[in-house]
Amino acid sequence: SQQGEEDPQALSIQEGENATMNCSYKTSINNLQWYRQNSGRGLVHLILIRSNEREKHSGRLRVTLDTSKKSSSLLITASRAADTASYFCATALLDTDKLIFGTGTRLQVFP
Amino acid sequence: GAVVSQHPSWVICKSGTSVKIECRSLDFQATTMFWYRQFPKQSLMLMATSNEGSKATYEQGVEKDKFLINHASLTLSTLTVTSAHPEDSSFYICSAAQLGSYNEQFFGPGTRLTVL
């Protein structure tokens, strides 16, 4: 399977703490994207990092990409209860229009 | 921003019936649309890629005769689950991509299908 792996599968933290989730993938990519999904809802696009970028910030989000290790991380700083959701990485493969999603991390932020 | 809608948002049907799900790009032309399936507490799995005016390309293991996809216009793609069975119960999500921006997909809100 081409599907990426994410860890941890589940993460529980207190409000104000930072949350880090990791994504590993198997093939060469054009870019890597992170999405959030609230329970039973659609996907919300968070951030896209291209294969020639190493780090990207958006508000409280920080994404890193290491193409040599085929891995990425998403850091959410100063987490809030509203950040409670599932987070997925998705890799855009070279020479294709497909997105391959990772297994996801379920984040629970307690107030 | 680019908005994608899906209809219905949820549907309950009896085993053996067919269900049609619509995916619309509301404010842009989508040359390519994608259909995903998501089982509870699992990730999204790509089912098929549809290009306007041509046959859909199905991923390995997805039955094309069971999941009929039609992309008749640049703003509408439909997924029909034929002769649905309880194991087809899932969350179906579509996404749409604009010409030249295939890696940036805009996702619909999903359709919850429950087959009794």
Side-chain angles (χ1 to χ4, degrees):
Chain A
S1 169
Q2 292 180 314
Q3 190 174 40
E5 296 286 331
E6 289 184 57
D7 79 274
Q9 290 187 342
L11 179 62
S12 295
I13 58 175
Q14 295 292 132
E15 259 189 331
E17 294 180 339
N18 295 341
T20 299
M21 48 206 88
N22 304 292
C23 167
S24 62
Y25 57 92
K26 298 179 181 179
T27 62
S28 297
I29 63 171
N30 186 309
N31 64 67
L32 186 144
Q33 303 173 35
W34 284 91
Y35 290 85
R36 183 182 74 211
Q37 184 182 37
N38 288 81
S39 182
R41 307 290 292 274
L43 295 176
V44 175
H45 183 266
L46 296 176
I47 198 164
L48 180 153
I49 185 165
R50 302 191 186 282
S51 60
N52 60 354
E53 297 176 311
R54 293 295 167 260
E55 188 171 314
K56 204 162 183 179
H57 297 254
S58 176
R60 293 184 295 114
L61 306 180
R62 173 178 169 254
V63 168
T64 63
L65 178 65
D66 186 335
T67 52
S68 66
K69 295 181 179 178
K70 291 186 167 58
S71 67
S72 174
S73 68
L74 170 67
L75 168 67
I76 304 174
T77 60
S79 64
R80 305 166 182 169
D83 295 329
T84 295
S86 290
Y87 291 81
F88 296 94
C89 67
T91 49
L93 307 183
L94 291 177
D95 302 324
T96 179
D97 47 12
K98 299 179 186 178
L99 282 179
I100 305 298
F101 280 81
T103 50
T105 294
R106 291 191 304 279
L107 173 66
Q108 175 83 51
V109 181
F110 291 100
Chain B
V3 178
V4 176
S5 69
Q6 279 185 243
H7 178 79
S9 55
W10 59 270
V11 57
I12 302 173
C13 69
K14 292 182 179 180
S15 186
T17 61
S18 294
V19 175
K20 180 185 285 188
I21 302 170
E22 293 185 348
C23 176
R24 292 181 185 273
S25 57
L26 299 184
D27 50 4
F28 67 100
Q29 293 186 327
T31 51
T32 304
M33 288 185 171
F34 304 86
W35 287 95
Y36 298 84
R37 181 167 54 183
Q38 184 180 32
F39 292 108
K41 295 187 178 181
Q42 293 188 25
S43 186
L44 280 74
M45 298 299 293
L46 179 64
M47 299 174 67
T49 303
S50 76
N51 292 294
E52 185 266 338
S54 62
K55 290 184 179 180
T57 303
Y58 291 81
E59 294 300 300
Q60 192 172 9
V62 178
E63 300 175 58
K64 62 180 182 180
D65 294 330
K66 181 169 185 61
F67 298 100
L68 301 179
I69 292 173
N70 184 280
H71 192 162
S73 77
L74 286 172
T75 59
L76 173 65
S77 176
T78 60
L79 168 67
T80 301
V81 183
T82 62
S83 187
H85 292 285
E87 57 266 30
D88 298 323
S89 298
S90 188
F91 195 51
Y92 291 87
I93 303 175
C94 73
S95 70
Q98 296 174 294
L99 180 64
S101 301
Y102 298 132
N103 288 163
E104 298 195 45
Q105 299 179 20
F106 302 96
F107 285 81
T111 296
R112 174 77 57 194
L113 170 63
T114 302
V115 184
L116 302 176

